[in-house]
Amino acid sequence: MDENTRLDALAFDVFSRQCPSRGTLEHVTGRWGSLTLGALYEGGFRFNELRRRVDGVSEKMLSQTLHALERDGLVHREAQPTNPPRVDYELTPLGRQVAERLLGLIELVEGRMPEVLQARDRYDEAHPSPEAGAQEAVRGGR
């Protein structure tokens, strides 16, 4: 049995702690992974362009995220032999498939944010934090 046949025969189950798909799912659904894949769906980027597009990510976190996504076969890194060096990142075909599904979730969440914010307000009213109670007591409300 060759390597590809052996891998095709495996049953992957993300709910099993032994399954390698769990690590890939973590890379894809983590904050920086999902935002990086979403940004790269728009097209290829150089490192600093991508860092500006994914607002708030540090250079170190973006580098680690890109490395993990490249290792998983979702991102292609191409270094140009220029001076200064130029490195471009783009999605692989598999990365595009994953990003398409991820963008569907992102669009759903963004489109339903008014409901989410209302739910948060209801929750916060029903479950006041201890800090809020202490602040109210200091102000003389209790």
Side-chain angles (χ1 to χ4, degrees):
M1 183 181 288
D2 72 8
E3 183 67 13
N4 287 336
T5 305
R6 187 183 68 77
L7 289 176
D8 289 344
L10 288 176
F12 294 103
D13 178 8
V14 75
F15 295 102
S16 169
R17 82 173 94 173
Q18 308 289 320
C19 187
S21 64
R22 188 178 280 193
T24 301
L25 186 64
E26 288 175 14
H27 298 155
V28 168
T29 60
R31 177 190 339 178
W32 303 121
S34 59
L35 294 174
T36 300
L37 288 168
L40 286 171
Y41 190 77
E42 299 169 3
F45 285 93
R46 294 174 71 175
F47 185 86
N48 284 324
E49 293 171 334
L50 186 57
R51 186 166 173 224
R52 284 190 294 274
R53 179 68 180 108
V54 182
D55 191 28
V57 68
S58 70
E59 187 173 325
K60 178 181 177 184
M61 283 308 304
L62 181 57
S63 179
Q64 289 175 354
T65 299
L66 286 166
H67 177 78
L69 295 173
E70 181 183 7
R71 185 170 182 258
D72 288 338
L74 304 176
V75 168
H76 174 72
R77 177 186 187 272
E78 185 164 342
Q80 306 290 331
T82 60
N83 192 9
R86 176 187 172 120
V87 180
D88 295 299
Y89 295 91
E90 63 184 13
L91 294 177
T92 63
L94 176 59
R96 286 199 71 74
Q97 286 184 314
V98 170
E100 284 173 3
R101 286 161 177 78
L102 188 59
L103 286 170
L105 178 60
I106 289 169
E107 290 167 4
L108 173 69
V109 169
E110 286 177 340
R112 303 302 288 266
M113 277 312 295
E115 293 170 65
V116 170
L117 295 174
Q118 289 172 355
R120 287 180 183 175
D121 288 343
R122 284 191 305 274
Y123 181 91
D124 291 346
E125 287 177 16
H127 303 90
S129 68
E131 295 86 26
Q135 290 172 357
E136 185 65 25
V138 168
R139 288 193 301 258
R142 290 190 174 183

